[in-house]
Amino acid sequence: MLISHILIGTVPGLLLQLLGLLALALSLWALADCLRTKPSDFERMDKRTKGFWVGITLAATVVSALFVLTPVLGFFLIFELAATTGAGVYLADVRPAVSDARRGGKRNRGPYGSW
């Protein structure tokens, strides 16, 4: 048994388990991508530093793993949501920008981002 939620065996418990596994996969993807990106790409695109984003995605991965592997109390869900949000921000905003930096820089960028 991978997870021992308070609601284990019920539909809400199984749904929480599935969502926790999806959040863990998302966090691992964000962390792996962040680790393989050069620090200069973050700075060139004005997206904080690599250390900042490694910290955010690593924390998201740890919180997601704890959510999946330990018994969950109701209040811990808010930390899982915050962690997933951090990984999601990296994947939706930072990753496309640093991908653009890998391809050659700030091409096609207006004052508010890519066009």
Side-chain angles (χ1 to χ4, degrees):
M1 185 97 171
L2 183 64
I3 298 178
S4 57
H5 285 286
I6 292 173
L7 301 173
I8 196 72
T10 64
V11 173
L14 295 175
L15 183 61
L16 278 177
Q17 182 178 3
L18 177 64
L19 291 175
L21 289 171
L22 289 173
L24 180 59
L26 182 85
S27 299
L28 284 170
W29 177 27
L31 179 62
D33 185 76
C34 188
L35 288 173
R36 69 184 178 100
T37 303
K38 293 186 288 186
S40 60
D41 292 342
F42 289 94
E43 294 167 8
R44 186 178 326 148
M45 302 309 284
D46 298 324
K47 294 295 181 185
R48 299 254 184 172
T49 63
K50 180 176 180 169
F52 175 82
W53 286 108
V54 167
I56 294 291
T57 56
L58 181 62
T61 303
V62 168
V63 169
S64 295
L66 288 174
F67 185 80
V68 169
L69 297 174
T70 61
V72 177
L73 300 174
F75 71 90
F76 192 68
L77 182 60
I78 193 73
F79 296 117
E80 176 65 10
L81 292 173
T84 305
T85 301
V89 166
Y90 175 82
L91 291 172
D93 180 45
V94 179
R95 183 175 183 264
V98 296
S99 293
D100 188 34
R102 285 184 214 142
R103 289 190 311 259
K106 291 187 175 184
R107 296 187 314 250
N108 300 325
R109 290 183 58 85
Y112 304 109
S114 298
W115 291 87

